[in-house]
Amino acid sequence: MESERECRVLSIQSHVVRGYVGNKAATFPLQVLGFEVDTVNSVQFSNHTGYAHWKGQVLNSDELHELYEGLKLNNVNQYDYVLTGYTRDTSFLAMVVDIVQELKQQNSNLVYVCDPVMGDKWNGEGSMYVPKDLLPVYRDKVVPVADIITPNQFEAELLTGRKIRTEKEALEVMDMLHAMGPETVVITSSDLQAPLGNGYLIALGSHRKTKADGTKMTQRIRVESPKVDAVFVGTGDLFAAMLLAWTHKHPNNLKVACEKTVSAMQHVLQRTIKSAKERRKAAVRFRPPD
């Protein structure tokens, strides 16, 4: 395989000292696959917010602008990809849009991969875990400048105002998302019934290309993967990063890109479970007597 030229990603996500979410989950896997990754940490926390306690700092929109200005003054604001994830602040999100638009003016081939992190479903009920005023910013400003978006089912429903109860409705929702801007839409997880049974999760993808003669062509894909009996944090961040990598390596084959993304996810999760079990066993084995 011929060597690829350096491919540089600007990743604007959260950072934690302990654990793997946001940039901590996305950076190393992208580097392993040959990407140069420049990270902006939207927050710096001691750990993710699922813990009982966390401490740290939040980057505001002025501070984000200042960091970007430093890159610009040195003329090193040259990127092939922008990747964004969890954000809690509307003005920060609006600043991200300004930066993406400026980078796209410099490089018309720049691809913006956006994970519109807003909420999820638990036991069939959806709820937002970011402030509600982020929804209109994502819907009206962010999604229109994105090229690839990776919402879960609940986030896709929020962005379009439509419920997904069947695969047909999911395809209609993906068409609505295409109409808002992105060429590639991947619904990363859904509560739709998988043909292989209840033990499987469905991810759905749609890639819309405009051909030279102006006609549109849409590729639809479905990937099923075994459900993992454990709770993880950071899986969405890893999924978006892997999808960026594999769509870059397979630009005209969303099916292969999604299969390789899901395969990487499965391997990481299974290895994480194995490692956790071994650590637990070791802790029990070496526990001192009372």
Side-chain angles (χ1 to χ4, degrees):
M1 185 177 167
E2 64 176 33
S3 67
E4 298 174 21
R5 70 172 190 80
E6 178 182 278
C7 192
R8 194 168 282 274
V9 180
L10 178 63
S11 181
I12 305 173
Q13 299 194 67
S14 53
H15 170 81
V16 289
V17 178
R18 172 69 179 253
Y20 294 92
V21 299
N23 276 329
K24 280 278 289 284
T27 304
F28 179 64
L30 283 169
Q31 289 170 328
V32 166
L33 291 170
F35 292 82
E36 286 291 332
V37 187
D38 291 357
T39 56
V40 173
N41 297 328
S42 56
V43 304
Q44 175 169 264
F45 286 167
S46 53
N47 43 266
H48 71 71
T49 56
Y51 281 79
H53 309 281
W54 72 91
K55 297 283 185 184
Q57 301 81 38
V58 177
L59 197 73
N60 65 37
S61 56
D62 290 341
E63 290 162 339
L64 172 61
H65 183 252
E66 190 179 351
L67 289 173
Y68 178 71
E69 281 300 304
L71 296 171
K72 199 164 138 183
L73 287 168
N74 290 307
N75 197 31
V76 290
N77 58 331
Q78 319 290 325
Y79 293 100
D80 303 288
Y81 286 88
V82 175
L83 174 63
T84 65
Y86 178 80
T87 305
R88 288 191 64 84
D89 180 66
T90 53
S91 61
F92 187 92
L93 204 49
M95 180 59 68
V96 167
V97 172
D98 290 347
I99 289 170
V100 169
Q101 286 175 322
E102 186 170 313
L103 291 172
K104 282 192 170 197
Q105 281 172 354
Q106 286 178 196
N107 174 12
S108 59
N109 294 319
L110 179 132
V111 174
Y112 173 27
V113 180
C114 170
D115 184 8
V117 181
M118 289 183 283
D120 209 344
K121 289 191 175 189
W122 287 273
N123 303 320
E125 281 300 306
S127 68
M128 290 181 73
Y129 44 63
V130 299
K132 287 185 168 50
D133 57 1
L134 260 70
L135 173 57
V137 183
Y138 270 117
R139 186 186 59 223
D140 304 333
K141 293 184 175 177
V142 181
V143 173
V145 299
D147 302 284
I148 299 173
I149 58 169
T150 60
N152 58 34
Q153 179 180 332
F154 177 62
E155 290 156 350
E157 290 174 344
L158 283 176
L159 289 167
T160 57
R162 288 277 306 274
K163 285 276 181 229
I164 296 173
R165 287 169 292 260
T166 64
E167 203 163 308
K168 181 176 178 289
E169 288 177 337
L171 297 178
E172 288 166 1
V173 162
M174 288 196 288
D175 281 339
M176 290 172 76
L177 291 167
H178 281 311
M180 291 161 75
E183 271 192 356
T184 302
V185 177
V186 177
I187 297 178
T188 56
S189 62
S190 70
D191 50 21
L192 296 174
Q193 177 69 45
L196 289 175
N198 287 335
Y200 286 80
L201 273 178
I202 289 185
L204 296 167
S206 182
H207 180 59
R208 180 167 289 180
K209 256 297 194 227
T210 305
K211 294 200 283 193
D213 62 2
T215 58
K216 287 187 176 4
M217 187 183 78
T218 307
Q219 179 194 9
R220 310 281 205 189
I221 64 110
R222 181 178 71 213
V223 179
E224 296 177 45
S225 58
K227 284 182 183 172
V228 178
D229 187 21
V231 177
F232 295 96
V233 178
T235 48
D237 307 322
L238 179 59
F239 189 101
M242 291 296 88
L243 190 68
L244 182 160
W246 291 117
T247 50
H248 174 74
K249 292 173 191 289
H250 303 281
N252 298 308
N253 196 333
L254 183 61
K255 185 164 173 51
V256 169
C258 280
E259 284 171 351
K260 288 190 175 183
T261 298
V262 169
S263 173
M265 297 292 301
Q266 283 291 317
H267 281 89
V268 168
L269 297 185
Q270 293 300 345
R271 189 172 287 191
T272 303
I273 288 172
K274 185 167 176 253
S275 169
K277 282 179 178 167
E278 284 168 0
R279 274 209 305 273
R280 268 204 300 273
K281 269 187 204 160
V284 169
R285 202 179 309 131
F286 297 116
R287 194 164 59 202
D290 293 332

